[in-house]
Amino acid sequence: MFFDTRRELQIIIEESLKVFDGTAFPAVLIDIPADKQHGEFSCNVALQLSRVLKKSPLIIAQQILPRLQELLSTSSLKEQIAKIEIKTPGFINFYLSPEGFYDVLYDVFRQKDNYGTSDVERGRTLCLEFVSANPTGPLTVAHGRQAAMGDTLANILGATGFDVKREYYVNDEGNQINILGRSIKVRAQQILNLDVAFPEDSYQGDYVRDMAKILIKQEDIRSPEDLDKQPERVFREFGVKYLMDLIRDDLKDFSVHFDTWSYQSKIATNAAIEELLVDFKKKGFVYENEGAWWFKSTQWGDDKDRVVKKSDGQYTYLTPDIVYHKDKFARGFERIVNILGPDHHGYIPRIKAAAAALGHSVDDLDVLIVQLATIYRDGKEVSMSTRRGEFITLREVMGEVGRDAARFFFLMRQASAQLEFDLELAKKQSPENPVYYIQYAHARIYSIIRKAQDDLHCIPKTQDLKYLQQPQELDLMRKIALYPDILIGCAKTLEPFGLVRYLQEVAAAFHKFYDSCRVLDEDKELSAERLGLIEAARIVLGNGLKLLGVSAPQKM
């Protein structure tokens, strides 16, 4: 509702600026102040015009005000805006009337499960690639954070109109896969009692030994001689398939699904790579130097050109990635978003340069870096190393704290910030635990409404509201009104954390309201309206939790 009101206010303010004939006007921006004392909306256009008109912002705001009031008096907002105030140094602040807040609740009751959704990005296609962990081991907590981030972001982008496709890119070729195959083979040799040292650079987790045992049984290998007869590819292919099945199961149980599973071996074939390099060379995007082929990534802002084909004929890891992005764009996506780990910072300018070389804007491709998650148990950091096999898997975290807490806790910081995941806090059933705090608010509202219906035969009122005017009631309505704007903001910044923080604020506003205002009052009309208010809060909490992939319980 705030989104629609802000849009209409923007049109009205732009019209009011015509009092300054012949002046080029800046874009009118309307903010939602953090402090409610500054109203529900605030505009700084007078400050922006100050240099142009060479006047004080306060004087400019005062000159705009009469025309602004006139236009509002004949608009659809005339009952919703209670007053307009000019504040130093020249801000124009707008305050909603109780009727304006009631309209918020009417929107919620009318739209219910769809409240918060919008069509601001309607029809735009977007490919969101996330997790894309190499199939060299089980998913770790780092992958879990990326999974929660990507899936939630996809939900939010979909809620604002994007046609989103979730994609997982399987790097099933290259040196890491070769190392995996060798690791499995050596473990199989040891199981068959061969005195073979385990290479230092191999994957050392217990899961590799388990895989070797399964392979021995699957291939009916009974002796070292039988083992030696197996081609090297058998170990690689078995490892990739086994681990991808494991990864799929983990993601399914984490409520993360993908529309597309793309495989490097199928997309970035030698023929596809050579076709790309020949095309780039014709266009002058690739040149040869000392036997190697170099991509002119500096042409689009990279700090240095990048080798795409080594002097020995081997491709660098960038080359198949360019082919993969060419494939993405060829599928018709207008925008591509990749979620990657913190070791990919240097990758961003070169892959954006590749997008430009493919004929697209660098702005058509976004790369989000998700920082690592540090796990704490009993106040102590748990050390992790994938290669040494010392790590906590996503499966272990889900088993210890549950899916809901795991997803929520992975989202409790911005992607750019290091995350500290406290296992003990995530298991607590108390207000200290933020996901419990929000879920409890949702369940508590269900309980209150059920009690009112069963014991007092009182149901939430969803129209003709008139009694909700206490500060705590208005505060809760103000929070509810922000929901659509919160989602639009999260979609624009590609950052789900704003929704997490917002739901905590809604839960806090509800608890504060409930502690101050008696819902089940002797005044049945007031009770019905307050039941309507908390029902609207419940709808928002439920809708938001759904986007986070977290359940919204009816009782706890």
Side-chain angles (χ1 to χ4, degrees):
M1 183 270 177
F2 270 19
F3 176 74
D4 293 331
T5 304
R6 181 157 58 175
R7 188 159 48 184
E8 190 166 350
L9 269 179
Q10 183 177 356
I11 295 170
I12 291 172
I13 294 170
E14 288 172 349
E15 180 65 25
S16 71
L17 294 180
K18 292 180 180 179
V19 297
F20 305 111
D21 289 335
T23 303
F25 305 121
V28 172
L29 302 176
I30 300 176
D31 293 321
I32 298 176
D35 188 341
K36 63 184 179 182
Q37 293 184 20
H38 301 308
E40 278 62 61
F41 306 99
S42 182
C43 182
N44 69 345
V45 71
L47 282 78
Q48 293 177 287
L49 280 171
S50 180
R51 285 187 179 181
V52 178
L53 298 175
K54 302 188 184 310
K55 294 182 181 180
S56 158
L58 277 174
I59 292 174
I60 293 171
Q62 289 164 355
Q63 288 179 305
I64 295 171
L65 185 60
R67 179 59 176 156
L68 196 55
Q69 291 172 324
E70 179 186 350
L71 291 168
L72 275 171
S73 68
T74 59
S75 76
S76 62
L77 298 181
K78 63 181 180 181
E79 301 296 331
Q80 295 180 353
I81 303 298
K83 64 177 180 177
I84 308 172
E85 283 187 355
I86 296 172
K87 296 287 187 181
T88 305
F91 290 102
I92 305 173
N93 297 334
F94 301 84
Y95 297 78
L96 277 188
S97 65
E99 288 73 24
F101 283 115
Y102 300 159
D103 283 344
V104 171
L105 300 190
Y106 300 150
D107 277 349
V108 179
F109 299 142
R110 183 174 62 255
Q111 298 180 48
K112 296 185 180 178
D113 292 349
N114 291 321
Y115 178 68
T117 61
S118 62
D119 60 357
V120 292
E121 303 290 353
R122 182 173 57 188
R124 294 192 66 194
T125 57
L126 184 147
C127 177
L128 178 60
E129 181 209 336
F130 59 105
V131 183
S132 295
N134 290 337
T136 55
L139 294 180
T140 66
V141 292
H143 301 131
R145 189 180 186 196
Q146 293 173 35
M149 184 76 62
D151 190 60
T152 301
L153 181 57
N155 291 337
I156 292 171
L157 291 168
T160 60
F162 276 107
D163 179 9
V164 183
K165 299 299 179 186
R166 297 163 164 86
E167 184 153 337
Y168 189 116
Y169 184 53
V170 183
N171 293 280
D172 58 339
E173 292 184 325
N175 188 49
Q176 299 304 315
I177 301 302
N178 293 334
I179 293 173
L180 174 68
R182 289 198 298 270
S183 302
I184 296 171
K185 183 174 182 178
V186 172
R187 285 304 189 205
Q189 290 172 326
Q190 292 176 342
I191 291 169
L192 294 171
N193 298 316
L194 288 175
D195 186 14
V196 181
F198 201 67
E200 188 66 29
D201 68 342
S202 297
Y203 292 99
Q204 300 178 21
D206 290 340
Y207 69 93
V208 179
R209 182 177 292 277
D210 294 338
M211 291 164 66
K213 289 178 181 178
I214 295 170
L215 177 63
I216 288 171
K217 183 177 181 180
Q218 177 179 297
E219 299 297 327
D220 194 26
I221 297 171
R222 304 187 181 189
S223 66
E225 291 74 24
D226 290 342
L227 188 67
D228 288 340
K229 293 177 184 177
Q230 301 296 325
E232 296 298 324
R233 63 174 177 77
V234 169
F235 300 96
R236 295 194 301 268
E237 291 173 0
F238 170 79
V240 169
K241 183 182 184 306
Y242 177 90
L243 289 169
M244 283 310 303
D245 287 343
L246 197 68
I247 288 170
R248 288 174 190 266
D249 287 343
D250 285 352
L251 291 170
K252 180 182 178 182
D253 291 343
F254 201 44
S255 293
V256 174
H257 81 274
F258 289 90
D259 302 294
T260 305
W261 297 78
S262 293
Y263 284 77
Q264 178 177 324
S265 60
K266 296 179 180 178
I267 293 175
T269 61
N270 285 348
I273 291 174
E274 286 300 321
E275 180 184 343
L276 173 86
L277 293 181
V278 169
D279 180 55
F280 273 17
K281 197 168 186 180
K282 285 181 180 177
K283 294 175 178 175
F285 300 158
V286 165
Y287 63 91
E288 290 187 60
N289 184 30
E290 296 182 351
W293 289 36
W294 295 73
F295 171 47
K296 288 185 179 179
S297 54
T298 52
Q299 188 170 325
W300 295 280
D302 198 2
D303 61 340
K304 62 181 180 180
D305 292 342
R306 305 290 173 174
V307 175
V308 287
K309 190 175 184 179
K310 301 176 185 177
S311 57
D312 63 1
Q314 296 294 311
Y315 307 119
T316 64
Y317 74 90
L318 175 62
T319 320
D321 272 5
I322 298 176
V323 174
Y324 173 45
H325 284 79
K326 177 183 177 182
D327 178 79
K328 283 184 182 179
F329 282 120
R331 284 184 264 150
F333 292 112
E334 298 174 56
R335 191 173 178 190
I336 292 172
V337 178
N338 300 339
I339 295 181
L340 303 174
D343 54 339
H344 287 82
H345 273 290
Y347 173 86
I348 298 175
R350 67 193 73 165
I351 200 62
K352 278 184 166 284
L358 291 168
H360 300 273
S361 167
V362 293
D363 295 329
D364 293 339
L365 171 63
D366 289 287
V367 180
L368 307 181
I369 299 297
V370 178
Q371 293 298 323
L372 295 175
T374 304
I375 298 293
Y376 285 84
R377 178 182 277 116
D378 298 324
K380 297 180 180 179
E381 180 181 340
V382 180
S383 63
M384 291 180 280
S385 169
T386 305
R387 182 64 61 81
R388 295 198 307 269
E390 298 172 358
F391 55 84
I392 295 179
T393 65
L394 172 60
R395 173 69 62 182
E396 288 177 292
V397 172
M398 282 193 287
E400 188 161 346
V401 306
R403 185 198 66 201
D404 284 351
R407 284 191 63 123
F408 191 92
F409 270 63
F410 280 133
L411 297 168
M412 279 177 53
R413 293 290 182 272
Q414 291 181 328
S416 59
Q418 185 90 5
L419 174 70
E420 295 183 355
F421 193 125
D422 187 336
L423 293 170
E424 304 309 315
L425 177 61
K427 290 185 285 188
K428 283 186 177 181
Q429 295 192 358
S430 71
E432 293 176 78
N433 181 346
V435 65
Y436 178 88
Y437 183 70
I438 296 169
Q439 289 178 315
Y440 178 69
H442 185 273
R444 191 178 192 184
I445 294 171
Y446 250 112
S447 176
I448 294 168
I449 292 175
R450 189 164 51 243
K451 178 178 176 61
Q453 291 174 335
D454 294 345
D455 296 351
L456 305 176
H457 306 292
C458 186
I459 62 174
K461 191 172 184 181
T462 59
Q463 57 186 354
D464 300 325
L465 302 174
K466 57 184 178 182
Y467 293 117
L468 303 176
Q469 299 190 25
Q470 293 299 314
Q472 294 83 0
E473 295 167 338
L474 296 174
D475 286 347
L476 183 52
M477 285 187 278
R478 185 178 288 108
K479 284 295 179 188
I480 291 169
L482 288 173
Y483 183 52
D485 288 87
I486 292 294
L487 296 186
I488 291 169
C490 289
K492 285 183 177 179
T493 59
L494 300 176
E495 175 55 73
F497 173 68
L499 175 57
V500 173
R501 180 174 55 195
Y502 167 75
L503 292 178
Q504 291 176 280
E505 292 172 354
V506 173
F510 159 71
H511 288 302
K512 184 178 180 181
F513 155 77
Y514 188 74
D515 291 341
S516 303
C517 301
R518 187 179 179 85
V519 175
L520 303 182
D521 194 83
E522 293 179 0
D523 185 333
K524 293 295 189 291
E525 280 291 316
L526 178 59
S527 289
E529 291 196 14
R530 286 179 171 171
L531 286 171
L533 171 57
I534 64 172
E535 170 64 4
R538 185 203 64 76
I539 290 172
V540 167
L541 290 171
N543 291 355
L545 287 170
K546 184 178 180 180
L547 293 181
L548 298 183
V550 175
S551 65
Q554 296 184 16
K555 60 181 179 180
M556 295 179 71

